[in-house]
Amino acid sequence: MDIAGLQETHASLTAQIAAAESQLANLKESLHATENLIRSANGARTETSPQKWPLLEDEYRRYGRQMIVSQIGLQGQLKLRSSSVLLVGAGGLGCPAALYLAGAGVGTLGMIDGDQVEESNLHRQVLHRTKNVGKYKVDSAIQYLEELNPHPTYIAHREHLSSQNAPDIFEKYDVILDCTDNPATRYLISDTAVILGKPVVSASALRTDGQLMVLNNPPNAPGDLSGGPCYRCVFPKPPPAESVVSCADGGIIGPVVGTMGVLQALETIKVITKQPVEETQEPTASDHPALHIFSAYSNPPFRTIRLRGRRANCAVCSSNATVTLHTLQSGSTDYVQFCGSAYPPQLLSAQERISADEYKQILETKQSCTVIDVRDQTQFGICKLENSINIPITQLMNETATTNVDVTERLRSLLPPNTPAVDDKDPIYFVCRLGNDSQLAVQKFKELGLDRNGERFIGDIRGGFKSWKSDVDPEWPEY
């Protein structure tokens, strides 16, 4: 069989496996719902066999240690059992949050995520297992949760959140957890929750730091300034698209994102079990909205910033809201446009870029050139091209153009100490992990005049080390 036939067979088998796994997940969901109905029937009150206690015997044993805590008690446990929580994202935040909410006895847990489990997820996304690589994250997570606690109802939404499906999905839940990693989705989650009157527990994590907020709490109607602020109230303008760094680019320590996910679960339990405040009772410090900041390598690692209330001119929770259910469902609220392009920048012309294979030919023919790796020193230490020079992009972008400075001396000042002299005519190629920062580096070098007004070629390796691995060296470490 030729390669085309093998690829067609592979695609067919992959599709059949995905369909079978989806059918199996649906059957498990139906079985679980049936088991819940059986348990409910066995514990239901009847005239001949009245139920003496509000919880099942197994539930008293399972949740007893948290029910004896005064802030929870029996009434709090009953609230948890009757509540429904949606986690948007089954990754580093969603996994620990779901784990503790299921353990605490939340009655219905929904998870929405259209991604599949990858090996790179496993160091921090603690519900997934090596054997589940390739499965939908929501199915992998729920498989684990069902083994932990069979009492809750688990609902898998195997899709990505969009402005079209968000209202219908959110409507079924009491509390929404924002466990995502990009601004566009965060604004969508917050906007939808405000419109439908749902509190949001939002967290984020990157490298060694994390943030946590409880938004739209209490979830009063738009225009009611006594309601909790929304995401737009805290961040009226999104960050510049080029400044947004993902875990894939910036890195993340597993326990850091785990800490934030556990805190999300805790704040959700507090929202669900909170006692109603009497009109005569003064609000306490814990009633005020706050931004909690965690930094693993700081001492102390936690600090809290008190947030302002709702903005009177907020686009979604003010009396003059411009974001409504209609604008959501019609698609007229474009979150990607609002937050900036989600696609990698294409800053250079085709003439300023070479492919990984073309650079391989340059090495094989021993053409004289300089290759500069603009990853940070930590990544450079993991793997690097032979004879490459490391100048981190953060260092390079801080350079400013100056006059009356010899170009050769300027280049020498940028290079690390003890770097061999670079020929004035040698072409310079920049490389990075994905081919994005390298484009910025090319532009910066030309801005500094190091191309000698076009006499020296300065360009980048298109696609970076991702292309190098796929097109040149399959053994190149992928991290």
Side-chain angles (χ1 to χ4, degrees):
M1 185 180 293
D2 60 15
I3 186 64
L6 287 172
Q7 289 176 338
E8 184 177 346
T9 301
H10 180 272
S12 176
L13 290 172
T14 301
Q16 291 178 52
I17 291 171
E21 287 182 342
S22 179
Q23 184 180 13
L24 178 60
N26 289 331
L27 289 171
K28 285 183 176 180
E29 190 174 310
S30 299
L31 176 62
H32 185 66
T34 303
E35 289 172 344
N36 282 338
L37 291 173
I38 292 173
R39 280 195 296 270
S40 299
N42 289 337
R45 298 176 184 270
T46 65
E47 293 183 2
T48 58
S49 177
Q51 181 177 326
K52 188 175 182 180
W53 306 107
L55 296 176
L56 299 177
E57 182 179 354
D58 173 55
E59 291 178 302
Y60 281 102
R61 289 194 300 267
R62 183 180 290 268
Y63 309 127
R65 296 298 187 274
Q66 75 182 22
M67 281 197 294
I68 61 177
V69 177
S70 61
Q71 286 88 345
I72 303 295
L74 175 60
Q75 294 306 312
Q77 191 63 50
L78 292 173
K79 288 181 179 179
L80 288 170
R81 189 174 70 167
S82 64
S83 67
S84 57
V85 175
L86 175 68
L87 296 98
V88 184
L93 293 167
C95 283
L99 188 67
Y100 277 96
L101 290 174
V106 168
T108 300
L109 271 180
M111 302 186 79
I112 176 170
D113 197 316
D115 290 339
Q116 297 173 333
V117 180
E118 300 176 358
E119 272 192 288
S120 62
N121 304 146
L122 299 178
H123 90 283
R124 66 193 184 281
Q125 300 180 16
V126 293
L127 291 182
H128 307 311
R129 297 291 178 266
T130 302
K131 66 180 181 181
N132 286 343
V133 169
K135 290 184 65 173
Y136 276 109
K137 286 186 177 181
V138 289
D139 293 333
S140 172
I142 289 174
Q143 179 184 358
Y144 186 105
L145 297 174
E146 287 176 331
E147 295 178 6
L148 171 69
N149 189 354
H151 288 287
T153 298
Y154 301 102
I155 301 175
H157 301 277
R158 302 173 192 88
E159 56 189 316
H160 293 292
L161 191 73
S162 68
S163 54
Q164 285 73 39
N165 65 18
D168 289 338
I169 295 175
F170 281 27
E171 187 64 48
K172 305 168 186 175
Y173 297 93
D174 301 319
V175 183
I176 312 299
L177 269 67
D178 180 353
C179 305
T180 62
D181 62 358
N182 68 87
T185 308
R186 292 189 182 282
Y187 282 102
L188 169 60
I189 291 170
S190 176
D191 291 354
T192 308
V194 170
I195 292 168
L196 298 179
K198 315 286 183 179
V200 176
V201 182
S202 176
S204 62
L206 183 68
R207 300 189 180 100
T208 63
D209 304 320
Q211 295 183 354
L212 174 75
M213 296 180 290
V214 181
L215 303 168
N216 197 40
N217 184 44
N220 296 344
D224 185 345
L225 295 181
S226 65
C230 71
Y231 196 78
R232 286 182 186 267
C233 292
V234 181
F235 302 109
K237 295 182 179 180
E242 64 273 11
S243 71
V244 177
V245 180
S246 68
C247 290
D249 293 329
I252 182 69
I253 296 179
V256 171
V257 70
T259 297
M260 305 317 297
V262 170
L263 289 175
Q264 278 186 285
L266 176 59
E267 291 298 328
T268 303
I269 291 171
K270 288 165 61 178
V271 169
I272 293 171
T273 61
K274 180 177 174 59
Q275 297 293 326
V277 179
E278 298 179 4
E279 294 183 5
T280 57
Q281 186 175 339
E282 291 292 327
T284 63
S286 62
D287 295 321
H288 296 297
L291 170 64
H292 305 287
I293 300 174
F294 172 71
S295 184
Y297 285 80
S298 295
N299 188 18
F302 287 98
R303 60 192 179 98
T304 297
I305 299 173
R306 183 170 171 175
L307 298 175
R308 298 175 181 269
R310 287 183 169 180
R311 290 179 178 267
N313 61 345
C314 178
V316 67
C317 66
S318 70
S319 56
N320 297 315
T322 56
V323 178
T324 64
L325 186 60
H326 173 71
T327 65
L328 275 179
Q329 294 178 321
S330 67
S332 59
T333 301
D334 190 329
Y335 290 93
V336 173
Q337 182 183 30
F338 176 64
C339 294
S341 174
Y343 299 99
Q346 299 296 324
L347 305 177
L348 305 181
S349 67
Q351 291 72 32
E352 296 173 290
R353 317 192 76 184
I354 65 171
S355 68
D357 192 61
E358 287 172 327
Y359 183 70
K360 176 190 174 186
Q361 295 176 25
I362 290 173
L363 293 180
E364 290 175 343
T365 56
K366 300 186 182 304
Q367 298 178 39
S368 181
C369 67
T370 299
V371 59
I372 298 177
D373 189 326
V374 295
R375 295 174 298 162
D376 60 44
Q377 292 181 355
T378 302
Q379 295 187 56
F380 187 72
I382 295 174
C383 53
K384 55 182 178 289
L385 293 174
E386 185 178 358
N387 296 324
S388 60
I389 299 168
N390 182 219
I391 305 178
I393 188 67
T394 51
Q395 172 190 333
L396 185 56
M397 296 308 289
N398 287 329
E399 296 292 327
T400 55
T402 54
T403 58
N404 301 323
V405 176
D406 182 75
V407 173
T408 303
E409 289 299 321
R410 184 62 187 270
L411 177 59
R412 186 178 294 116
S413 70
L414 292 172
L415 300 177
N418 303 320
T419 300
V422 175
D423 190 282
D424 288 343
K425 298 181 180 179
D426 280 353
I428 296 176
Y429 301 102
F430 286 93
V431 66
C432 65
R433 190 176 178 194
L434 300 174
N436 299 330
D437 287 344
S438 58
Q439 296 183 69
L440 296 173
V442 170
Q443 288 189 327
K444 190 67 178 181
F445 253 49
K446 290 186 175 182
E447 176 188 319
L448 296 174
L450 298 179
D451 64 338
R452 294 181 175 274
N453 295 319
E455 293 180 10
R456 182 209 296 270
F457 175 85
I458 297 180
D460 84 324
I461 300 175
R462 187 173 58 250
F465 290 116
K466 183 177 181 180
S467 294
W468 185 260
K469 179 178 178 64
S470 63
D471 300 341
V472 177
D473 183 4
E475 295 183 359
W476 184 266
E478 182 176 8
Y479 61 91

